[in-house]
Amino acid sequence: MSAVTAFAGMRRVVEVMFRAACPDCRAGFELGASALRLAIGASSRTTFYSFTCPECGSAVRKPAGERIVELLTGGGVRTLRLHSTV
């Protein structure tokens, strides 16, 4: 079976966009899943998402509750699971 046959009828995948804002320059914008990173820690204090502001270049890190984690993982954001050394 060729690749053309195997993928016949598949539609083009559209990247999910997320609304975000920069706490430094206060700009609001949309980011694709590839522009975000999600880190899931052992607690709510160590679970966060991050991105670079496209307006001012600041590194932004924001807490991620259960609902945010669900939305970001469902939208294809790359996830890093943090493990405790204890």
Side-chain angles (χ1 to χ4, degrees):
M1 174 183 295
S2 72
V4 173
T5 304
F7 294 104
M10 289 187 73
R11 297 182 188 155
R12 181 175 169 219
V13 177
V14 177
E15 185 174 33
V16 175
M17 299 300 286
F18 297 94
R19 293 187 57 86
C22 177
D24 291 340
C25 71
R26 303 204 184 275
F29 39 81
E30 290 187 347
L31 295 171
S34 62
L36 295 157
R37 298 292 175 268
L38 174 63
I40 299 176
S43 71
S44 60
R45 290 184 53 170
T46 58
T47 300
F48 60 91
Y49 66 99
S50 61
F51 58 90
T52 300
C53 175
E55 297 295 321
C56 71
S58 291
V60 179
R61 177 175 163 166
K62 293 187 174 187
E66 288 181 33
R67 181 69 178 140
I68 298 296
V69 169
E70 183 181 317
L71 291 170
L72 294 177
T73 55
V77 172
R78 283 198 279 177
T79 303
L80 171 67
R81 295 205 181 268
L82 305 174
H83 296 283
S84 173
T85 58
V86 179

